[in-house]
Amino acid sequence: MLLIQSLGGDRLKKILEVQNLHVSFSTYGGEVKAVRGVTFDLFEGETLAIVGESGCGKSVTANSIMQLIPKPAGKISEGNIIFKDIDITNANEKQMRNIRGVDISMIFQDPMTALNPTLSIGHQLMEGLKQHQNISNKKAKEKAIEMLNLVGIPNPEERLEQYPHQLSGGMRQRIVIAIALICEPDLLIADEPTTALDVTIQAQILELFGKIQKETNVAIILITHDFGVVANIADRIAVMYAGKIIESGMKEEIFYHPKHPYTLGLLHSIPRLDQKDDELIPIDGTPPDLFSPPVGCPFTARCPHAIVACEKMYPLRHESSLSHYVDCWLYDERVKNMKQTN
Amino acid sequence: MIKYIIKRFLMMLLTLWIITTLTFILMMSIPGSPFNDVSDKTSNEAVQANLESHFNLDKPMIVQYYYYLESIVTLDFGPSIKKPNDTVNDLLGRGFPISFELGIISIIVAIISGIILGVFAALKHNGIIDYLAMSIAVLGISIPNFVLATFLIQQLAVNLELLPVATWKSPSHMILPTIALATGPMAIIARLTRSSMLEVLTQDYIKMARAKGLAPYKIIIKHALKNALMPVVTILGTLLAGILTGTFVIEKIFAIPGMGQYFVESISQRDYPVIMGTTVFYSAFLIIMLFLVDIAYGVLDPRIKLHKEKGD
Amino acid sequence: MDQQTKKMAQDPTSAEIPSDWLKPINRDQLKQEDVVRPSLSYWQDAWQRLKKNKLAMSGLIFLIILAIMAIFGPYMSPYTVGEQNLPNQNQAPSWSHWFGTDGLGRDVFTRTWYGARISLFVGLMAALIDFFVGVIYGGISGYKGGRTDNILMRIIEILYGLPYLLVVILLLVVLGPSLLTIILALTVTGWVGMARIVRGQVLQLKNYEFVHASQSFGAKTSRIIKRNLLPNTMGPIIVQMTLTVPSAIFAEAFLSFLGLGVSSPYASWGVMANDALTAILSGHWWRLFFPAFFISATMFAFNVLGDGLQDALDPKLRR
């Protein structure tokens, strides 16, 4: 992160800082520790991808930033989320309402369910605008049409009168994006925005993200399980596993010099067209139970290189560059030295 | 939409035909025919003659069936056996408006209070209000309306003398019968509203609405309530049927001179034309109501509208 | 914790790493730790959850006691169900008549348990018949699909449109009221709800892969329904049955109240309540109280048990 600052100098403003975030849910079977000490930050106009398997806590992290964790079951038990100068973890519901949709917006996974089936597209587009700005109906409509044009929807005026079921999945996701952007937020959180879509539509939506970022300079947090999606639009990548960020770095660093055995495993399990003989290697096993997460590295049981240390204690952070770090014992100097001497 | 309405309408006509035919077959299958067997002291020549001419009892069955259908289409249900001066139409004309009034007041009370109870229970899920509302609802479903009615009379009318015991004369007379009749449907609506509201509140579009920073009341009224009330609309027809049959016992207990009174009387006296006429009339009424509810549902839910337009 | 481990915990950045920490981990040991959580079967799990629901459990206990009293209750008093004793009419509850006597001097205690027999019998029989007809009809409709399903569902739609209690009243007027005809009348249209539920479940399940798998092995339709589909649809069916019972009990009481119930000397709760209607004005509260209380309590018990089962059997809530 220091690197980014030194590279960008004063031009880049930090807009979000997540510090040591812990989120847990009390359920029928006990307390699930879904997020266990997540730290990252985000700069203006940047795209950060948070990558991990389902259940690794990436969506919970995203929802925490919006304060949309289902209460009272879920709660932020530790840590801070600082957006610009506001500590979101201490903000009350009323303050949050003025942040949501205005400063931070969110896009959901399934466009089929994210739109209300009984309200018209126009209504759903304009209601956020009307909530936050003192705006006339005519102006709101103009803005809505402008947004639909931005996200590439033909005949925007007609669409305003239509209902969600009259549109295709890709169209609906464009609408959802238009809704999220209508108040011109500084941060857009996209939670698996392309997972529910066809592959060709996926590419179009990702392209749209790039276009939007160019035009509005919005910062994006992209939550995904798919490295293929990341390759297109991310600047930086954070890999999450069992509620922790286990590796983080610039996109190139993660793709060309992955450090953590888990990241390596994830990269090996995506099909690639350019390398024919590269075999797809699935990662054996399942993530640990987050009711009682292990004290050591959570990947130990599935890791082909695991040593006893991994099980005994969570690894120390190893920074291989100013922007790239990994939590893994294999990169600990002492372990390396002892291995060589043995 | 037009196609949907026509389909529903034809379905309604079919159901009407089935219920009228069923009534005819059942009545004709009574041993010794219900109309010839009136040789007891209450009958007289005039009644017998009325019945003969109305039901064409001397004609073959199929002809009788034809005349029966004709009389139903023209809404002429024939004479009463036990009340020689009245036709079934006279009784309906006198009794039905009162029963209708009782039923309409009850269903309105049930809908309003049920929805309020259900919504608050869902919003305060697992809180005290939720438990309280759902306890009331389970009790409401479990206590039969006639038990509730007698209990109310005993406590509020006889013991405390707060309200009149019986009959249907002024608004204060209407309170107890309405409570007795509305509680059951209210409980059903409250439970349904609650569960469907809880379901809706977990939907992505509610989360999306929250992510827009909308005020909570807007989320609840605009986004949640409309969707949550869809299932409630679908059971209105069934509830109406329950309320209508409920008026039979409630009118009996409170001595309200509605159609239910006459109907219960006709059952115990085996006054077959009245039983037949009332059944057919009430069935038709309910089936038409059911049809209207269906149409209302189609209007409320944009998905049905389009689906039916597009669909072939 | 040994010495070296402690040192690591205190000063992780510079302490010496214990040498045995560098050995590859023992995977067999790890695997054993995986199976610490006991896995419960579907039914065990559901039962565990039902047990935690106090209201549902008290409903169940009430129903068990009621069933026992319905069987043995009438033998606990020296009176029989129809035994009239006019000089003893309308007596308040006392040692000789625990629940008092009615207008004909009959013992309300004895009659109440007789009423329990009738109510439970009517309720259970209605639920059972609904179950058989509904499962067969709904199962065929859902499994066959296509034209068959279309026709069967049209029929259901029409039946659903018929006003249930009016049809029942009409049937009873014609057939004459008796225990058998009441049950028959209640089930003539009662199975429709069950058939709909079963069909929905079957439709959902028949797209599952294991059904296709057994089909590809040449399993017969009846066998697939019996072996694969039914066990998976039992949850909602049990709930529906539990909720059918109270509505049948209500319908029986309602019909008795209209004068279409079981005839004297037999007693059902509805008949007793109907007889007692005038008694409340004269202050003979016990004549109405006992049948009314037991109708309500029984329906309440079945309703809370049904709700409890619904929560307990819902696979979505299962973890």
Side-chain angles (χ1 to χ4, degrees), chain C residues 138-167:
Chain C
I140 291 174
S141 181
Y143 191 79
K144 289 274 181 190
R147 265 184 77 109
T148 319
D149 182 40
N150 228 330
I151 294 168
L152 291 181
M153 278 303 114
R154 273 296 121 74
I155 296 174
I156 279 203
E157 225 170 296
I158 290 168
L159 284 176
Y160 205 73
L162 296 178
Y164 171 68
L165 270 175
L166 282 174
V167 174

Side-chain angles (χ1 to χ4, degrees), chain C:
Chain C
M1 215 188 273
D2 59 83
Q3 202 61 33
Q4 279 172 309
T5 313
K6 227 178 244 169
K7 262 191 207 151
M8 273 303 288
Q10 278 161 2
D11 185 13
T13 44
S14 51
E16 196 183 327
I17 293 179
S19 58
D20 59 332
W21 279 29
L22 292 177
K23 291 178 191 150
I25 50 160
N26 183 348
R27 286 183 193 277
D28 296 337
Q29 196 190 323
L30 275 176
K31 274 194 189 112
Q32 272 172 5
E33 280 167 16
D34 276 351
V35 285
V36 180
R37 288 174 152 272
S39 68
L40 296 173
S41 80
Y42 176 62
W43 299 108
Q44 281 171 322
D45 194 63
W47 172 240
Q48 291 296 333
R49 254 179 302 155
L50 186 65
K51 267 207 297 206
K52 281 197 183 153
N53 186 336
K54 290 201 186 79
L55 201 56
M57 282 312 279
S58 36
L60 182 63
I61 291 167
F62 173 85
L63 291 174
I64 292 171
I65 295 172
L66 185 74
I68 294 171
M69 285 307 285
I71 298 168
F72 299 109
Y75 305 116
M76 286 166 66
S77 80
Y79 311 100
T80 60
V81 62
E83 187 180 310
Q84 298 184 7
N85 186 354
L86 287 175
N88 265 340
Q89 61 177 323
N90 290 329
Q91 288 202 344
S94 64
W95 277 114
S96 52
H97 294 281
W98 290 353
F99 289 0
T101 63
D102 70 3
L104 295 170
R106 293 175 296 197
D107 182 46
V108 175
F109 181 83
T110 316
R111 289 175 71 75
T112 299
W113 302 125
Y114 249 95
R117 283 185 186 181
I118 305 255
S119 287
L120 288 179
F121 184 72
V122 168
L124 294 176
M125 282 308 288
L128 267 179
I129 296 173
D130 282 1
F131 169 77
F132 280 115
V133 181
V135 164
I136 292 170
Y137 193 99
I140 291 174
S141 181
Y143 191 79
K144 289 274 181 190
R147 265 184 77 109
T148 319
D149 182 40
N150 228 330
I151 294 168
L152 291 181
M153 278 303 114
R154 273 296 121 74
I155 296 174
I156 279 203
E157 225 170 296
I158 290 168
L159 284 176
Y160 205 73
L162 296 178
Y164 171 68
L165 270 175
L166 282 174
V167 174
V168 171
I169 290 170
L170 208 57
L171 273 173
L172 283 178
V173 166
V174 174
L175 298 173
S178 77
L179 202 50
L180 197 73
T181 51
I182 287 174
I183 292 171
L184 186 77
L186 288 183
T187 47
V188 160
T189 54
W191 56 271
V192 170
M194 178 67 86
R196 280 189 157 183
I197 287 178
V198 176
R199 174 179 171 271
Q201 290 286 313
V202 172
L203 274 184
Q204 205 178 30
L205 284 166
K206 95 171 170 180
N207 294 324
Y208 286 173
E209 280 178 26
F210 65 86
V211 178
H212 291 295
S214 52
Q215 240 169 355
S216 62
F217 291 132
K220 278 197 184 130
T221 306
S222 63
R223 197 185 140 83
I224 293 177
I225 290 179
K226 212 168 78 189
R227 276 293 179 84
N228 289 332
L229 296 184
L230 275 191
N232 285 296
T233 54
M234 279 320 277
I237 290 174
I238 289 174
V239 173
Q240 170 75 9
M241 280 179 79
T242 323
L243 297 176
T244 300
V245 178
S247 68
I249 290 176
F250 168 76
E252 187 277 328
F254 174 86
L255 293 169
S256 302
F257 213 77
L258 293 183
L260 291 170
V262 294
S263 47
S264 182
Y266 295 108
S268 85
W269 291 336
V271 170
M272 290 168 74
N274 190 20
D275 287 348
L277 202 49
T278 49
I280 44 162
L281 294 177
S282 47
H284 305 141
W285 57 269
W286 58 91
R287 285 180 53 194
L288 185 67
F289 174 78
F290 290 105
F293 170 79
F294 278 103
I295 297 174
S296 308
T298 307
M299 285 178 61
F300 184 80
F302 271 110
N303 280 323
V304 292
L305 180 62
D307 286 355
L309 281 172
Q310 191 149 36
D311 292 342
L313 291 170
D314 188 351
K316 270 183 283 178
L317 294 173
R318 202 176 171 232
R319 246 199 348 90

Side-chain angles (χ1 to χ4, degrees), chain B residues 152-174:
Chain B
L152 288 173
I153 293 177
Q154 163 99 33
Q155 293 304 321
L156 298 180
V158 176
N159 282 359
L160 299 174
E161 295 180 8
L162 286 176
L163 292 162
V165 175
T167 72
W168 190 254
K169 288 181 187 124
S170 70
S172 67
H173 286 86
M174 299 179 181

Side-chain angles (χ1 to χ4, degrees), chain B residues 67-142:
Chain B
Y67 282 117
Y68 165 80
L69 283 185
E70 191 185 63
S71 74
I72 281 170
V73 171
T74 55
L75 290 177
D76 174 14
F77 298 110
S80 159
I81 299 177
K82 306 287 166 168
K83 293 189 168 67
N85 301 323
D86 285 323
T87 63
V88 179
N89 286 33
D90 291 338
L91 295 179
L92 279 172
R94 244 181 291 150
F96 185 67
I98 295 174
S99 300
F100 186 73
E101 195 180 6
L102 171 63
I104 285 294
I105 295 174
S106 300
I107 195 127
I108 290 171
V109 169
I111 289 172
I112 293 173
S113 52
I115 289 175
I116 292 175
L117 217 55
V119 168
F120 276 99
L123 293 180
K124 304 283 173 201
H125 186 36
N126 286 336
I128 291 175
I129 294 179
D130 187 16
Y131 288 125
L132 207 67
M134 284 309 108
S135 310
I136 295 173
V138 184
L139 278 175
I141 289 173
S142 303

